[in-house]
Amino acid sequence: MSGTTVVSIIITQEKLICINLGDSRLTLFKYDNGIYFSKNLSREHKPIELDEYNRIILKGGVIKKCFDEKNKKFFGPERVWLKD
């Protein structure tokens, strides 16, 4: 009823190709001479981001929080749902 996420990488001798869907992110970590470095190789596709929000709505998706039928309250972050 709600989405899923995936992050994949393909490493060749010349390139590193990153593919991600959903609110996942690939971060590269490196340890060099006692210092840790990190670099984001992708970004999270969260529905609260304006470009993602617009893309989802234009494709007929719905963005809303989960609803707790028992307590009659919305909870958690906004998620992407099927229209019906």
Side-chain angles (χ1 to χ4, degrees):
M1 293 184 348
S2 185
T4 187
T5 66
V6 64
V7 175
S8 298
I9 60 170
I10 300 168
I11 301 172
T12 69
Q13 290 182 358
E14 296 87 26
K15 294 181 181 180
L16 185 146
I17 301 166
C18 173
I19 303 157
N20 78 300
L21 301 168
D23 59 356
S24 295
R25 174 182 356 154
L26 178 66
T27 303
L28 178 68
F29 288 94
K30 179 180 177 183
Y31 180 76
D32 190 16
N33 292 325
I35 300 173
Y36 288 98
F37 298 92
S38 67
K39 180 177 182 176
N40 291 330
L41 301 181
S42 68
R43 72 177 181 101
E44 299 167 15
H45 298 156
K46 293 184 175 218
I48 60 171
E49 301 292 335
L50 184 59
D51 62 334
E52 280 300 301
Y53 176 89
N54 290 333
R55 185 185 66 79
I56 293 163
I57 298 302
L58 286 172
K59 295 290 185 178
V62 174
I63 300 169
K64 64 181 179 180
K65 293 184 175 194
C66 292
F67 186 73
D68 182 345
E69 298 278 341
K70 181 179 177 183
N71 296 317
K72 306 293 183 201
K73 292 182 180 179
F74 288 98
F75 66 95
E78 291 185 327
R79 301 273 183 207
V80 179
W81 301 85
L82 294 174
K83 194 167 194 167
D84 299 319

